[in-house]
């Protein structure tokens, strides 16, 4: 198994190289003049010339790519043109928002979508099934911005001054301490290294940080802030997962081995949860992986509505501002997520299905 | 129905095995008694009367063959015994008495205790009947975990022991393999191990060899033969191969369109075949030494179980009806009667009514 995982990881390297090449090229293909996009329409030619020279944008494209690759390998994503900040720092600041939101949305989709899918399949053609599938079909085509605005309207305005009120934007209420867990533990963490960046990153995952540092106030407050955007974001993957679970469960329930399991005296519930579910997980794993991938990269609308500056929002701003550096590096990060998720999906497949050959 | 078995071989088998056969123990109480069982499927196209008034008795320790063309309701009968009919199917009438209890009156929980313990089943497709994601040994061990509440290790040891019993080489290693790593014959051995694990009193074998190679078929039949004697289980052997029936069964029930049309001991079935359908089945076995132009295949096809013809279900295909010019056949349904001691038949050739005289009533 370990050998299989290692081999799969090596196989991911050319894919990553390809991704780097494509994102690099795409960023250069976006029409428009980066200098004037950054410095404004009124920037003089002289100013622009100096700007482009400083950023290395006047070098031949292959040289630019070589430089870019070298820096990436060193863990340096360059400096943002727009924010004049190292991209790594931007990532450490903004990625946690997206990661937290995506995982919350995925968790919601799984804990609701899977049981609903199973029940629909088991009670095939019952009213539960019909309702669930109607709801799932609506969910897939639900405009996220509309749902987000409605949720914000209901829970932040209509239910104001009730215990059901939920905050409409941001990640924590003012006045709540978000002290990093390592500070609470009394560790002294400073410097610029990768380790520090990772610790920083982890401490900005508010829920994780709250648990690690025993800050229950922060935990409650973060969860409150997370509910609305997570619900909005989870609709589509939840609907997809419910549909997928149902259809794969329906197929599995018709298989001969289900009849065998019943014939040996196993309770129907156990047959479903053990024999059927394990088999129906196989196609589901792919959907879960893809859903998480698109959640991480595609939360722009949700992030905008709920005032969260995460990955999607930053990327969107960068595109309108023609900030090549950010566009490139964030795309690469999202692509790396996809590659990692793919790897996890493949490995889970091999783990779940003994028929898959490991060599 | 083209059987590969030669009629002569059937006879050789019958003669050689004769001594060993248990003659129907009319004095013993039946282990299983099915009365007027009806299992229907309520589909969009109408009610499929898959099993429509089946009567069948199985005595302790005997092998009863259940034969008939594909689609006549053999599998539905066996699944009804196990109470594993699911929607849109439903058992709509009848009784299934097993060891004195009417199974149709039991709760699902009580039925669960019987399945896999006192009645168990093996199926036609051994490879797809095993769960692809669990080790074969684990699936056998599960029976001990369910019914005897054994712990994992103990159940596993028992499973390995059963693998040895059903003749799987290197049982410790084989128990760890997955179904896709096994041949059909080996998978059927695993299924047999699973079915006989708790020494059931009744084994329902639904076409256990149909999907296997001819050489493997013989081995599996032999294995079932040996083990059922050792375990002391009665067997309902479902097949459409009369050769297999001749080899194993003591009594045979012939099924047509959801009903039993003839039932007797295996010798009489071949020796004194009464029902025209059974005659057709036996006639379609190739005869050694005689090159027939064409096998004597029963003309026509199995009726649609939704719109059954009135009268005898076999009437549209029956030559005897034409020969004897029987009008009653297409009007009134014949009943399954005991025409001779231990030999039941459902046909107007042998059955009088007040105003009707059956042509072959006194033949036997
Ligand atoms: N789930 C089902 N839904 C509708 N009809 C069914 C179903 N299962 C079996 N049948 C019908 O019942 C009849 C008997 O089937 P079966 O018992 O499987 O035949 P066989 O004798 O070949 O085992 C067939 O006509 C089949 O179409
Ligand atoms: S009852 Fe009539 S149609 Fe039916 S099998 Fe007998 S002779 Fe043929
Ligand atoms: Mg069948």
């Amino acid at each position: 198994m370990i050998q299989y995982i290692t081999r799969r990881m090596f196989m991911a390297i050319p894919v990553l190289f390809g991704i780097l090449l494509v994102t690099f090229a795409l960023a250069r293909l976006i029409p428009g003049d980066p200098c004037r996009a950054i410095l404004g329409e009124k920037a003089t030619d002289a100013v622009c010339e100096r700007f482009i020279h400083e950023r290395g944008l006047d070098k031949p494209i292959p040289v630019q790519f070589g430089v870019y690759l070298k820096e990436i390998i060193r863990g340096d994503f360059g400096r943002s043109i727009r924010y004049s900040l190292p991209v790594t720092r931007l990532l450490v600041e903004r990625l946690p928002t997206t990661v937290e939101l995506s995982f919350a949305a995925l968790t919601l989709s799984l804990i609701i979508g899977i049981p609903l899918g199973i029940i629909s399949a088991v009670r095939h053609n019952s009213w539960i099934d019909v309702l669930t599938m109607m709801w799932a079909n609506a969910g897939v085509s639900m405009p996220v911005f509309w749902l987000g605005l409605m949720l914000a309207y209901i829970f932040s305005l209509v239910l104001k001054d009730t215990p059901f009120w939920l905050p409409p934007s941001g990640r924590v209420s003012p006045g709540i301490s978000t002290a990093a867990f390592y500070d609470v533990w009394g560790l002294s963490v400073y410097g610029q290294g990768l380790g520090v960046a990772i610790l920083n990153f982890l401490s900005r995952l508010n829920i994780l940080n709250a648990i690690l540092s025993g800050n229950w106030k922060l935990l409650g407050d973060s969860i409150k802030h997370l509910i609305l955007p997570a619900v909005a974001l989870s609709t589509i993957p939840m609907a997809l997962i419910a549909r997928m679970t149902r259809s794969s469960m329906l197929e599995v329930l018709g298989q001969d081995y289900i009849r065998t399991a019943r014939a040996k005296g196993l309770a129907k519930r156990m047959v479903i949860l053990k024999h059927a579910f394990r088999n129906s997980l196989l196609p589901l794993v792919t959907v879960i992986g893809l859903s998480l991938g698109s959640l991480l990269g595609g939360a722009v609308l949700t992030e905008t509505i709920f005032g969260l500056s995460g990955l999607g929002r930053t990327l969107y701003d960068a595109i309108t501002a023609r900030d090549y550096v950010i566009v490139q590096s964030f795309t690469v990060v999202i692509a790396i997520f996809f590659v990692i998720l793919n790897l996890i999906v493949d490995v889970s497949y091999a783990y779940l299905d003994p028929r898959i050959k490991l060599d | 129905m083209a059987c590969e078995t030669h009629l002569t071989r059937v006879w050789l088998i019958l003669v050689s095995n004769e001594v060993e056969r248990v003659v129907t123990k009319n004095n013993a109480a039946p282990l299983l008694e099915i009365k007027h069982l009806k299992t229907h499927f309520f589909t969009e196209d109408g009610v499929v009367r898959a099993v429509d008034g089946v009567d069948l008795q199985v005595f302790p320790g005997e092998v009863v063959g259940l034969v008939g063309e594909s689609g006549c309701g053999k599998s539905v009968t066996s699944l009804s015994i196990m109470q594993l009919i699911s929607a849109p199917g439903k058992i709509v009438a009848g009784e299934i008495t097993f060891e004195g209890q009417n199974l149709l009156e039991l709760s699902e929980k009580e039925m669960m205790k019987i399945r896999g313990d006192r009645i168990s089943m093996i199926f036609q497709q051994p490879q797809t009947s095993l769960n692809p994601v669990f080790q074969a040994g684990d699936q056998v061990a599960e029976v001990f975990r369910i019914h005897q509440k054994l712990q994992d290790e103990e159940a596993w040891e028992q499973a390995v022991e059963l693998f040895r019993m059903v003749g799987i080489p290197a049982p410790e290693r084989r128990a760890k393999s997955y179904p896709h790593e096994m041949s059909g014959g080996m998978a059927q051995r695993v299924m047999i191990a699973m079915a006989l694990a708790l020494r059931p009193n009744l084994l329902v074998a639904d076409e256990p060899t149909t999907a296997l190679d001819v050489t493997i078929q013989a081995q599996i039949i032999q294995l079932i033969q040996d083990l059922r004697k050792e375990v002391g289980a009665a067997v309902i052997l479902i097949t459409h191969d009369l050769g297999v029936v001749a080899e194993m069964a003591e009594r045979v029930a012939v099924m047509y369109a959801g009903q039993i049309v003839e039932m007797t001991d295996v010798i009489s079935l071949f020796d004194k075949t009464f029902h025209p359908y059974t005659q057709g089945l036996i006639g379609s076995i190739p005869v050694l030494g005689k090159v027939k132009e064409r096998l004597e295949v029963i003309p026509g096809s199995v009726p649609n179980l939704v719109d059954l013809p009135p009268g005898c279900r076999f009437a549209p295909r029956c030559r005897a009806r034409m020969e004897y010019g029987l009008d009653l056949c297409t009007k009134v349904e014949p009943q399954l009667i005991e025409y001779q001691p231990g030999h039941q038949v459902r046909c107007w050739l042998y059955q009088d009514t007040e105003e009707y005289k059956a042509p072959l009533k006194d033949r036997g």
Side-chain angles (χ1 to χ4, degrees):
Chain A
M1 192 58 132
I2 289 174
Q3 215 183 342
Y4 172 76
I5 298 174
T6 324
R7 199 172 43 238
R8 291 292 328 225
M9 274 163 76
F10 274 107
M11 275 160 67
I13 291 177
V15 179
L16 282 176
F17 182 84
I19 291 165
L20 289 173
L21 189 66
V22 170
T23 47
F24 176 86
L26 281 181
R28 259 80 192 161
L29 287 175
I30 299 172
D33 170 1
C35 164
R36 293 201 166 75
I38 306 297
L39 304 178
E41 287 300 325
K42 292 200 184 98
T44 61
D45 284 353
V47 171
C48 267
E49 216 166 280
R50 217 183 69 219
F51 175 84
I52 283 176
H53 182 71
E54 267 174 17
R55 302 277 167 158
L57 295 174
D58 54 352
K59 300 222 177 70
I61 299 280
V63 176
Q64 286 187 37
F65 184 63
V67 171
Y68 173 62
L69 266 191
K70 215 164 78 190
E71 283 170 350
I72 293 268
I73 288 163
R74 285 212 315 263
D76 177 8
F77 283 100
R79 278 179 98 76
S80 154
I81 300 172
R82 185 164 179 244
Y83 300 95
S84 283
L85 278 174
V87 173
T88 315
R89 223 178 98 195
L90 268 174
L91 276 173
V92 167
E93 271 172 23
R94 308 205 163 177
L95 193 55
T97 311
T98 303
V99 169
E100 201 165 76
L101 179 59
S102 305
F103 274 89
L106 184 73
T107 310
L108 262 182
S109 338
L110 292 179
I111 60 178
I112 298 177
I114 289 182
L116 272 182
I118 294 179
I119 294 170
S120 304
V122 174
R123 302 243 173 285
H124 183 42
N125 285 340
S126 70
W127 61 270
I128 286 198
D129 180 28
V130 173
L131 273 187
T132 306
M133 284 309 111
M134 269 166 59
W135 168 86
N137 286 330
V140 174
S141 43
M142 175 84 73
V144 173
F145 67 89
W146 182 82
L147 179 69
L149 289 174
M150 288 311 289
L151 285 173
Y153 172 73
I154 294 170
F155 285 92
S156 307
L157 283 176
V158 178
L159 296 177
K160 204 172 175 150
D161 305 321
T162 72
F164 301 108
W165 176 83
L166 288 170
S169 68
R171 298 181 69 203
V172 277
S173 308
I176 300 235
S177 155
T178 56
F181 62 93
Y182 47 81
D183 288 335
V184 175
W185 292 353
L187 301 174
S188 50
V189 173
Y190 49 82
Q192 291 291 316
L194 188 65
V196 176
I198 290 174
L199 279 178
N200 259 320
F201 172 82
L202 292 178
S203 75
R204 280 166 205 270
L205 293 165
N206 284 343
I207 291 181
L208 181 72
N209 188 42
I211 292 171
L212 287 179
S213 55
N215 186 346
W216 310 127
K217 248 188 174 161
L218 175 62
L219 183 66
D221 191 64
S222 317
I223 290 177
K224 263 189 167 175
H225 279 84
L226 207 50
I227 292 176
L228 292 184
V231 168
L233 192 58
S234 69
T235 343
I236 292 177
M238 191 189 294
L240 282 176
I241 286 169
R243 283 213 304 211
M244 194 67 207
T245 309
R246 176 180 179 269
S247 66
S248 106
M249 199 74 184
L250 268 182
E251 199 198 314
V252 169
L253 285 175
Q255 300 290 318
D256 289 349
Y257 54 80
I258 296 299
R259 193 183 51 194
T260 309
R262 298 269 288 134
K264 53 167 111 151
L266 204 56
K268 196 165 184 191
R269 193 171 41 93
M270 285 302 295
V271 173
I272 290 163
L273 294 180
K274 190 182 164 198
H275 286 258
F277 185 60
R278 174 73 191 270
N279 279 279
S280 66
L281 260 180
L282 299 170
L284 202 58
V285 167
T286 313
V287 176
I288 296 174
L290 283 177
S291 297
L292 186 58
S294 48
L295 285 176
L296 287 166
V300 188
L301 286 172
T302 316
E303 286 176 359
T304 311
I305 293 165
F306 292 98
L308 301 167
S309 39
L311 207 63
R313 176 94 178 279
T314 310
L315 186 58
Y316 175 77
D317 290 346
I319 291 170
T320 37
R322 299 210 175 82
D323 192 332
Y324 296 132
V325 185
I326 291 189
V327 175
Q328 250 171 237
S329 6
F330 277 39
T331 314
V332 166
V333 168
I334 292 170
I336 290 174
F337 273 137
F338 266 98
V339 171
I340 293 174
L341 282 171
N342 236 321
L343 188 69
I344 294 175
V345 166
D346 282 355
V347 172
S348 332
Y349 250 84
Y351 172 76
L352 287 170
D353 189 350
R355 284 165 295 188
I356 289 174
K357 287 235 165 57
L358 296 184
D359 39 53
Chain B
M1 213 203 78
C3 282
E4 265 123 88
T5 329
H6 297 276
L7 193 56
T8 324
R9 205 188 110 223
V10 171
W11 276 112
L12 284 175
I13 295 164
L14 285 175
V15 172
S16 63
N17 282 10
E18 199 165 0
V19 209
E20 269 193 60
R21 278 167 211 280
V22 190
V23 180
T24 317
K25 310 145 199 147
N26 278 326
N27 47 350
L31 174 73
L32 177 85
E33 183 160 30
I34 302 178
K35 280 190 191 153
H36 314 306
L37 177 72
K38 293 190 178 192
T39 305
H40 294 174
F41 289 87
F42 299 87
T43 66
E44 281 173 17
D45 305 326
V47 181
V48 180
R49 287 147 72 183
V51 171
D52 207 30
V54 160
D55 297 276
L56 187 70
Q57 294 182 333
V58 180
F59 290 90
E62 73 170 341
V63 178
V64 173
L66 185 58
V67 292
E69 284 162 299
S70 157
C72 70
K74 305 183 296 292
S75 297
V76 174
T77 305
S78 61
L79 291 172
S80 301
I81 298 171
M82 294 296 271
Q83 306 267 310
L84 288 177
I85 298 289
S86 48
K90 198 172 181 310
I91 298 178
V92 291
E95 266 176 46
I96 302 176
T97 311
F98 175 73
E99 295 181 339
Q101 268 177 314
N102 183 358
L103 299 182
L104 301 184
E105 284 166 1
L106 297 185
S107 67
E108 169 61 16
K109 217 171 169 185
E110 292 168 313
M111 197 58 219
M112 265 158 54
K113 289 206 189 106
I114 292 180
R115 281 186 210 122
D117 183 6
R118 283 151 67 202
I119 309 179
S120 55
M121 212 174 156
I122 54 178
F123 303 97
Q124 181 170 354
Q125 301 285 347
Q127 272 157 319
T128 56
S129 292
L130 289 168
N131 194 323
V133 302
F134 298 118
Q135 290 173 343
D138 184 50
Q139 300 187 51
V140 175
E142 197 173 26
V143 179
F144 294 104
R145 297 199 301 262
I146 300 168
H147 293 283
Q148 300 192 328
K149 312 279 176 264
L150 292 194
Q151 295 304 304
D152 290 357
E153 271 170 43
E154 222 178 323
W156 181 268
E157 278 165 23
Q158 297 269 7
V160 171
E161 203 39 57
L162 281 168
F163 271 53
R164 200 186 317 275
M165 182 178 95
V166 297
I168 294 176
E172 283 91 356
R173 195 170 52 80
R174 270 304 178 180
K176 291 200 183 107
S177 52
Y178 289 92
H180 74 276
E181 296 161 337
M182 302 183 144
S183 66
M186 174 113 39
Q188 195 60 294
R189 282 174 194 268
V190 173
M191 289 296 293
I192 291 170
M194 191 189 292
L196 296 182
L198 300 177
R199 305 187 154 253
N201 288 339
L202 178 63
L203 171 69
V204 182
D206 189 353
E207 314 226 16
T209 58
T210 308
L212 305 176
D213 293 347
V214 184
T215 46
I216 309 294
Q217 278 185 10
Q219 290 173 16
I220 294 292
I221 289 292
Q222 193 56 49
L223 180 69
I224 297 177
Q225 235 353 351
D226 294 347
L227 288 179
R228 68 113 188 158
K229 276 187 203 131
E230 196 182 318
V231 170
V235 179
I236 297 181
L237 178 73
I238 295 176
T239 176
H240 55 246
D241 184 344
L242 282 171
V244 172
V245 162
E247 205 151 346
M248 262 191 87
E250 282 128 24
R251 285 193 308 132
V252 188
V254 180
M255 201 166 171
Y256 186 78
Q259 296 178 327
I260 305 292
V261 293
E262 185 160 12
M263 166 117 204
T264 181
D265 64 276
V266 71
I267 311 275
S268 309
L269 186 86
F270 289 96
D271 194 19
K272 296 187 280 184
T273 318
F274 291 142
H275 200 282
Y277 176 63
T278 317
Q279 288 166 355
L281 279 186
I282 293 173
S284 64
I285 303 177
V287 178
L288 199 66
K290 272 194 203 169
V291 185
K292 281 193 184 177
E293 287 283 296
R294 232 176 112 246
L295 281 181
E296 199 179 320
V297 178
I298 308 168
S301 59
V302 189
N304 177 349
L305 294 178
V306 178
D307 298 308
L308 284 163
C312 173
R313 294 177 184 195
F314 188 59
R317 300 169 73 186
C318 184
R319 266 190 228 150
R321 178 177 64 89
M322 313 276 258
E323 268 169 46
Y324 292 92
L326 303 183
D327 292 336
L328 198 57
C329 296
T330 49
K331 296 191 184 98
V332 188
E333 193 169 63
Q335 298 302 307
L336 188 65
I337 56 153
E338 183 137 3
Y339 178 56
Q340 285 185 354
H343 196 152
Q344 296 163 310
V345 62
R346 184 194 286 274
C347 173
W348 284 124
L349 290 173
Y350 311 97
Q351 192 173 341
D352 285 343
T353 67
E354 279 175 22
E355 60 267 19
Y356 163 79
K357 182 87 181 72
L360 300 180
K361 172 104 196 329
D362 305 314
R363 196 184 84 161

